[in-house]
Amino acid sequence: MDCYIKTLGEKVLGGSDVTREEALFISGLRGNAIHDLLYWANKIRQKFLGSDISCCALVSAKQGRCPEDCSFCAQSARFNTAVEEFSFMGREGLEGALKSTSELGAGSLGIVTSGRELSDDEVDRLCEGTRGVNGTNGLHLHASLGLLSPQNARQLKNSGVRRINHNLETSERFFPKLCTTHSYSDRIRTVKEAKEAGLEVCSGGIFGVGESPEDRVDLAFALRE
């Protein structure tokens, strides 16, 4: 067992990708084999990512009353979660969040909004509040805003937003179990449009919502693609 894990680890360190079958094997490891897996995973992390840690502050810039039915989310208006609700904050609120982030010493500020997507007016207001900030005092701007149009993605990039967070959440097969009000292809489209606009993308998913090991592997391969 440990020899096979070592072979896979050396394969990745050499620049090759694991196959889906190899990934399924890894996802099924149990017992002492987990220690071997963690050893090689750590070596891979050190080679490709290093040991630096970056801290990101978050501000909720719009909260509650989301029309989508994502089953894991407290922001959805379809569930009684008693979350505090407020509309998109103004420039003063954004400036206050930026100031607090700088005082905390975080390297980036993530601006997070509820809802399927921002209106054009909300994007305008966001860009007005963020323009010229990216890189100031080492601070970078990130945003998680739901679905994006190509125009809004370009607008955010031009205003100084550096990175978009938009998760795929799970595999395409399992996604309808989590959400029915938008599609998996909607999420993939947003990721691609953000990248085409020159934005960096942070994308991942969630575990423990009823998905299978195969769903987790399929998510990883979709993210790699």
Side-chain angles (χ1 to χ4, degrees):
M1 178 75 73
D2 58 340
C3 290
Y4 185 59
I5 297 173
K6 177 183 178 182
T7 298
L8 291 181
E10 291 175 339
K11 174 182 177 180
V12 175
L13 287 171
S16 298
D17 292 329
V18 296
T19 65
R20 187 175 186 277
E21 290 70 24
E22 290 167 340
L24 285 170
F25 167 80
I26 292 171
S27 72
L29 291 176
R30 298 292 185 272
N32 291 334
I34 295 295
H35 298 291
D36 296 325
L37 176 63
L38 291 175
Y39 170 81
W40 285 100
N42 192 49
K43 288 179 72 71
I44 292 167
R45 177 191 58 79
Q46 288 176 331
K47 175 173 180 177
F48 293 106
L49 296 175
S51 298
D52 291 341
I53 295 174
S54 61
C55 295
C56 179
L58 296 176
V59 58
S60 182
K62 179 184 178 183
Q63 194 162 287
R65 303 305 300 170
C66 177
E68 305 302 283
D69 67 353
C70 302
S71 60
F72 53 84
C73 186
Q75 303 288 338
S76 175
R78 298 164 186 259
F79 313 125
N80 182 20
T81 61
V83 66
E84 180 184 358
E85 300 173 5
F86 53 82
S87 58
F88 189 79
M89 67 169 53
R91 182 184 179 90
E92 183 177 336
L94 288 173
E95 289 177 344
L98 290 165
K99 182 175 183 294
S100 297
T101 300
S102 295
E103 293 172 349
L104 287 170
S108 58
L109 172 65
I111 302 167
V112 183
T113 60
S114 66
R116 178 183 177 90
E117 57 193 343
L118 293 185
S119 67
D120 290 341
D121 177 65
E122 288 171 331
V123 173
D124 288 342
R125 291 163 60 194
L126 173 59
C127 291
E128 180 185 355
T130 60
R131 190 167 285 108
V133 173
N134 192 54
T136 303
N137 298 325
L139 180 64
H140 298 289
L141 295 176
H142 303 170
S144 181
L145 311 172
L147 303 179
L148 288 177
S149 69
Q151 174 185 344
N152 287 342
R154 291 191 297 270
Q155 191 175 353
L156 291 165
K157 169 65 176 177
N158 292 336
S159 75
V161 174
R162 180 179 184 179
R163 179 177 298 164
I164 289 292
N165 167 259
H166 195 72
N167 289 338
L168 298 186
E169 306 302 8
T170 187
S171 70
E172 184 171 11
R173 182 194 69 81
F174 193 75
F175 186 79
K177 302 275 188 188
L178 299 183
C179 179
T180 66
T181 48
H182 62 269
S183 68
Y184 201 72
S185 60
D186 288 330
R187 289 186 171 262
I188 291 176
R189 174 181 54 78
T190 290
V191 168
K192 290 182 175 179
E193 286 172 352
K195 292 181 69 175
E196 288 173 3
L199 292 159
E200 296 178 1
V201 171
C202 170
S203 186
I206 50 178
F207 287 0
V209 288
E211 81 288 351
S212 67
E214 289 81 4
D215 290 312
R216 298 178 182 183
V217 168
D218 288 344
L219 168 64
F221 275 71
L223 290 168
R224 186 173 79 179
E225 181 182 346

